[in-house]
Amino acid sequence: FSCTNTATQFAAIAALRGPQAFVDFMVSEFDKRRKIMTKYLNKIQGFDCVNSKGAFYLFPSIKKTGLKSDEIENILLNKIGVAAVSGKSFGNYGEGYIRFSYANSEENIILALQKIKEYSEKEGWHA
């Protein structure tokens, strides 16, 4: 196939022309989650986070941890059970940063951030 199928095109038109209340609701929800994440990330030793202005990702600095982005990514996933993406995956200038998504429930976001904070306080950041 060289283009999107007809059924999908009609579904897209219906979505664009249909009620938009849910879009407004989700924009509000993502804004709330972004604020929660930014606040919590700034309470974690070695993390420094500024508010994003779009999407549903945050890209905090982890430079003060003394670890590379890949090392933090591996600790988060393998020792804490939290998925994040190394800033290095976004190019050389991404080193020293980690990307988190807040496209999840508020409860799961808070749980993940609590786990990260507890780990940093108990174990400290070392590879």
Side-chain angles (χ1 to χ4, degrees):
F1 294 98
S2 62
C3 63
T4 307
N5 67 56
T6 305
T8 302
Q9 291 178 31
F10 281 112
I13 291 168
L16 291 170
R17 290 184 178 160
Q20 299 299 304
F22 187 72
V23 175
D24 294 335
F25 170 75
M26 285 310 301
V27 168
S28 174
E29 282 297 305
F30 283 131
D31 183 54
K32 187 165 96 175
R33 295 171 194 176
R34 175 185 52 83
K35 289 174 182 173
I36 289 169
M37 254 189 123
T38 302
K39 180 182 172 183
Y40 272 80
L41 284 168
N42 283 320
K43 292 180 179 181
I44 297 172
Q45 174 189 345
F47 283 63
D48 184 28
C49 187
V50 296
N51 277 319
S52 68
K53 294 187 178 184
F56 39 80
Y57 300 104
L58 288 173
F59 206 59
S61 169
I62 48 92
K63 293 176 182 177
K64 293 178 185 174
T65 65
L67 297 177
K68 299 286 187 187
S69 298
D70 290 346
E71 294 171 322
I72 291 283
E73 176 188 52
N74 288 325
I75 289 170
L76 291 172
L77 183 60
N78 298 322
K79 294 186 178 182
I80 306 172
V82 174
V85 180
S86 166
K88 191 175 168 186
S89 298
F90 301 96
N92 292 334
Y93 295 110
E95 181 58 69
Y97 297 86
I98 193 90
R99 185 177 84 163
F100 290 102
S101 169
Y102 48 92
N104 206 316
S105 71
E106 187 177 325
E107 294 78 18
N108 285 341
I109 289 168
I110 291 170
L111 177 62
L113 293 168
Q114 287 173 338
K115 286 181 172 184
I116 296 168
K117 189 172 188 304
E118 287 171 12
Y119 179 89
S120 73
E121 291 171 350
K122 184 177 178 184
E123 303 292 330
W125 295 114
H126 46 75

